[in-house]
Amino acid sequence: MSAVVAVVGMVTLTACQGDGEVKTSPDKVAGSAAPKVEGSASAAPAKGAQKAAVGDTLNLKGQGNGEQLAVTIKKWADPATGKDEFNKPEDGKRWVAAQFELTNTGTAVYQDSPSNGAQVADEQGQRFEATIGEISQGPEMASGLKLPAGEKALGWIVFEVPKDSKIVTLQFAMNSGFADQTGQWAVK
């Protein structure tokens, strides 16, 4: 029975590092204690988000050594309009979007899908994840971004929200949202 618990614990405790490798401490696998996972994200929310406004830049660190970005929200669109008649939100919803500029200020390659680490919140505290949508405001942020140290990436991330929601903040964290540092921008 304890072997099954250890295996289930190994399956449920996974973490992605910049190189995609999961490191565990083998001396803990066979015992009753859960394995040690290095570089794993905390399930709890960040202790304090860095706060800013549209146009401001926040410096955020990732989970891995040398992972660091200067993140600027260049523009905010509410509503964001579809690029053509095929790109539109579901009935009863609207799109909002943020133009992100990511500058790799670290020493490691930033490799992620930035939209996975972005979400918006309305004044009631409801949170909404990014969605796929081509908008007339400009091109999307790359989904499989590989950004070498010193380079920049620019693109829009789109969110689908209820028509009557008043979106007030945008959040972003590296490592698909699992990094400890979170940036938050007021967008009202």
Side-chain angles (χ1 to χ4, degrees):
M1 180 68 171
S2 65
V4 171
V5 171
V7 170
V8 170
M10 287 291 295
V11 171
T12 58
L13 289 174
T14 60
C16 292
Q17 293 183 317
D19 59 4
E21 181 179 343
V22 176
K23 297 180 181 177
T24 61
S25 177
D27 58 336
K28 298 286 185 178
V29 174
S32 60
K36 177 183 176 187
V37 179
E38 297 175 6
S40 66
S42 170
K47 292 181 181 169
Q50 295 182 46
K51 296 184 179 183
V54 173
D56 292 341
T57 298
L58 294 178
N59 293 306
L60 301 175
K61 290 186 179 183
Q63 294 176 308
N65 289 337
E67 290 182 341
Q68 184 171 311
L69 292 177
V71 181
T72 306
I73 304 304
K74 303 287 274 182
K75 298 177 184 175
W76 174 251
D78 184 0
T81 54
K83 188 174 183 176
D84 55 37
E85 69 272 13
F86 303 107
N87 283 285
K88 59 184 179 179
E90 292 181 21
D91 288 341
K93 299 194 176 185
R94 75 181 192 282
W95 281 348
V96 297
Q99 185 185 43
F100 281 77
E101 181 180 78
L102 307 176
T103 304
N104 187 341
T105 57
T107 57
V109 172
Y110 170 65
Q111 187 171 333
D112 198 2
S113 180
S115 62
N116 289 346
Q119 54 180 233
V120 294
D122 67 13
E123 62 187 355
Q124 296 176 3
Q126 296 178 97
R127 298 194 177 273
F128 305 95
E129 305 289 330
T131 191
I132 297 171
E134 292 185 45
I135 57 173
S136 63
Q137 282 77 9
E140 303 175 67
M141 176 62 73
S143 62
L145 186 61
K146 292 180 182 176
L147 191 62
E151 292 193 18
K152 292 182 183 182
L154 182 70
W156 289 86
I157 296 178
V158 179
F159 305 87
E160 187 171 79
V161 301
K163 270 193 176 175
D164 59 350
S165 282
K166 183 175 180 183
I167 302 301
V168 294
T169 58
L170 166 70
Q171 287 187 334
F172 178 79
M174 294 175 65
N175 307 111
S176 290
F178 289 100
D180 289 335
Q181 286 189 331
T182 300
Q184 181 170 298
W185 291 261
V187 295
K188 42 183 167 169

